[in-house]
Amino acid sequence: MRSVRTLVLATLGCALVASSASAQQDEKLSIHGYLTQGYAVSDSALMIGIPKTGTTDYRRAALLLRYSQSDRDNFVIQMAHRRLGESPSMQFESDVKVDWAFYEHQFGTQTRLRVGKMPIQFGIYNEIRYVGTQIPFYRAPYAFYHEGIYTSETVDGLTVSQSLLGETAFPIEANAYAGSFSFLDFQTVPVPGPTGPVLVYQGQRVRAQSALGGSLWISTPIEGLRIGGGGQRYTVPNAFFVARKTSFDGYNAGLDAKFERFYLRSEFRHVDAKKILQYDGWYSQGGVAVTSKISLGAQAERATYHVRTTTSNYRVPLVHDDAVVLSYSVSPNLVVKTEAHATKGFNVEGVTNTRGTPLEGRYFISSLSVAF
């Protein structure tokens, strides 16, 4: 496994040279990539793969190849590598995987079609959620985007993007997708042990079917300010928490303001699994550039499950996370970050009793991100 990781990192290093050479030899082929290496440590329970002993097995890397058959036709493949420390979700993820693989066609200057496996048009960060040089914290906000379990960044199918009112004060970017996607599902189950039943954190990969969704972003006359939102619908036939095929409906809304010296972003999402549960999550974040290289940021995240059973309904405070980050940009493509998080809730891997007292803790992440 270590040799595979070494190979991935070496490939990214070689691509730094290859991308320059390819631009000179073949203008149709472009190569890009990124690597974020982190060190993370928690003072309490295991959260998003972060143990109390600390871990350097915390990274994201990808190599993207784009081949332009013509001015209107592109083929895109992205190979990716991700590690989440000691997270149980890692047993379901290979060291190297095909992250994206799609064909893209431009109809004129306003319409774009993609077919294959591609990022879902969802929220502000989904398409760049692992590019450490483009996001303020190590990861995109968990309460909205998740990571490891109960999420998919991609859809197998097709997406259509349409620009509207481009010459007006309020240009619009509309997106729609259809297809299917997979995600990781976990539950805690008792299994026989030498002295009695033992609780085990058990997982499986589930495929969401008949997925339909879309988003709409409206820019404003204030340069750098836009607002938007979207909706999703899909069915899940065999998740642990679903006794039968169940439909999921969701919607989201957001504000994205990025100016020369500061930024402010906030998004909210709601997901409803009929007669089983509801999920509400939101985050707000902001930051300021202290100098041309140093910036400070802060973020608040909240997420709650509303669970329905045959005998009772109850609320699970899943995520309550407040964080600060200090970033140093050596260059636009080389960024160092240090961040601290204070948490309270049940966003803990292996937790068994979500009706008890919410667990409190802190974790810290230091990371270095490069991109080309």
Side-chain angles (χ1 to χ4, degrees):
M1 185 175 293
R2 181 175 297 174
S3 62
V4 175
R5 296 176 196 153
T6 302
L7 176 62
V8 172
L9 300 180
T11 300
L12 289 174
C14 293
L16 288 167
V17 178
S19 61
S20 176
S22 67
Q24 298 174 6
Q25 296 174 5
D26 189 348
E27 294 182 355
K28 292 184 175 181
L29 177 65
S30 61
I31 302 174
H32 302 279
Y34 60 81
L35 166 66
T36 296
Q37 173 63 53
Y39 170 76
V41 61
S42 166
D43 72 352
S44 53
L46 185 69
M47 293 176 288
I48 324 176
I50 305 174
K52 294 176 68 174
T53 54
T55 180
T56 56
D57 194 22
Y58 220 69
R59 76 183 65 85
R60 292 92 173 269
L63 185 64
L64 183 147
L65 290 85
R66 176 184 293 270
Y67 183 78
S68 299
Q69 179 67 34
S70 69
D71 292 340
R72 297 180 180 274
D73 300 280
N74 296 284
F75 297 89
V76 177
I77 295 178
Q78 178 168 290
M79 304 298 294
H81 165 79
R82 178 177 65 170
R83 297 300 301 170
L84 279 177
E86 297 183 9
S87 171
S89 66
M90 287 296 93
Q91 64 184 295
F92 294 91
E93 185 158 334
S94 57
D95 269 3
V96 181
K97 64 179 181 179
V98 178
D99 200 20
W100 304 348
F102 62 86
Y103 162 72
E104 178 182 80
H105 180 75
Q106 291 282 150
F107 296 91
T109 60
Q110 307 298 317
T111 308
R112 182 185 68 197
L113 171 69
R114 289 177 174 179
V115 179
K117 182 177 184 180
M118 70 228 89
I120 295 175
Q121 300 295 332
F122 174 70
I124 297 169
Y125 289 119
N126 191 56
E127 192 159 341
I128 59 168
R129 64 190 293 167
Y130 297 141
V131 186
T133 57
Q134 296 187 39
I135 60 178
F137 287 79
Y138 178 86
R139 65 170 43 82
Y142 187 94
F144 190 88
Y145 295 91
H146 298 316
E147 184 171 6
I149 61 175
Y150 303 120
T151 187
S152 176
E153 303 96 43
T154 60
V155 60
D156 298 300
L158 61 88
T159 66
V160 178
S161 299
Q162 178 71 46
S163 298
L164 302 166
L165 307 178
E167 302 301 321
T168 71
F170 295 92
I172 296 174
E173 178 71 22
N175 304 281
Y177 67 84
S180 64
F181 59 87
S182 66
F183 64 89
L184 284 177
D185 178 30
F186 273 82
Q187 70 171 356
T188 304
V189 296
V191 298
T195 59
V198 177
L199 292 173
V200 175
Y201 201 44
Q202 181 183 78
Q204 66 173 354
R205 187 165 287 280
V206 177
R207 177 154 290 273
Q209 303 169 346
S210 304
L212 296 171
S215 65
L216 191 73
W217 284 97
I218 304 172
S219 297
T220 71
I222 302 174
E223 186 176 355
L225 174 63
R226 61 177 185 152
I227 57 174
Q232 312 85 36
R233 180 180 175 84
Y234 53 91
T235 60
V236 177
N238 57 350
F240 286 132
F241 56 86
V242 176
R244 60 190 183 280
K245 181 180 288 189
T246 299
S247 295
F248 287 72
D249 299 293
Y251 59 84
N252 59 280
L255 177 146
D256 182 15
K258 184 177 182 181
F259 307 112
E260 184 177 356
R261 295 292 302 274
F262 69 94
Y263 66 88
L264 177 65
R265 299 185 180 105
S266 186
E267 295 188 272
F268 166 82
R269 71 179 298 188
H270 171 84
V271 180
D272 191 352
K274 306 302 182 183
K275 299 181 180 180
I276 298 173
L277 61 84
Q278 289 183 350
Y279 176 88
D280 292 300
W282 64 267
Y283 75 88
S284 292
Q285 61 179 207
V288 59
V290 180
T291 70
S292 60
K293 294 184 177 293
I294 299 174
S295 62
L296 297 173
Q299 176 177 279
E301 301 181 66
R302 304 289 186 270
T304 303
Y305 276 119
H306 300 273
V307 183
R308 308 183 187 102
T309 70
T310 55
T311 58
S312 65
N313 298 331
Y314 61 96
R315 175 179 174 273
V316 179
L318 182 67
V319 178
H320 186 294
D321 188 296
D322 296 312
V324 293
V325 62
L326 170 66
S327 299
Y328 179 75
S329 297
V330 180
S331 71
N333 293 326
L334 177 58
V335 181
V336 179
K337 302 173 190 172
T338 298
E339 59 195 75
H341 295 252
T343 69
K344 182 179 180 180
F346 291 103
N347 187 27
V348 176
E349 290 157 310
V351 67
T352 58
N353 180 19
T354 56
R355 299 200 197 192
T357 302
L359 305 174
E360 296 187 46
R362 288 168 295 274
Y363 66 89
F364 308 87
I365 304 176
S366 295
S367 62
L368 182 147
S369 300
V370 295
F372 60 88

